[in-house]
Amino acid sequence: MQPIIINYKVRGVDIICRRCGNFESPTTAFLARFRLEGTGEQSAVLRCLSCQTSACIQGSALDTLTHARAG
């Protein structure tokens, strides 16, 4: 089970940390509570800034986060 959940929605992305409950939605500032680290060709690390929990995300999720930021 992933410690950080990414839920895809029509108008953006919800990001939820299961450990501390930190939450970001399309209505909040993008990646104000989470940080992308070590972006590579196929994956990246998404870290919760509250409890420092991290999760590796695949390139497809990274593409979705990039499109949500542009929108």
Side-chain angles (χ1 to χ4, degrees):
M1 180 177 358
Q2 286 280 41
I4 297 177
I5 304 168
I6 301 172
N7 290 327
Y8 307 101
K9 295 190 170 191
V10 174
R11 295 181 186 225
V13 179
D14 283 338
I15 305 171
I16 305 165
C17 177
R18 287 187 178 184
R19 184 170 179 215
C20 69
N22 203 6
F23 178 79
E24 230 175 69
S25 70
T27 58
T28 61
F30 186 76
L31 292 181
R33 297 181 180 124
F34 294 89
R35 176 177 53 212
L36 278 174
E37 300 176 342
T39 55
E41 289 182 26
Q42 300 297 321
S43 65
V45 175
L46 185 63
R47 182 173 305 276
C48 173
L49 294 176
S50 179
C51 66
Q52 299 300 311
T53 298
S54 63
C56 184
I57 59 172
Q58 297 302 318
S60 59
L62 187 59
D63 290 343
T64 303
L65 288 174
T66 304
H67 289 303
R69 175 70 173 131

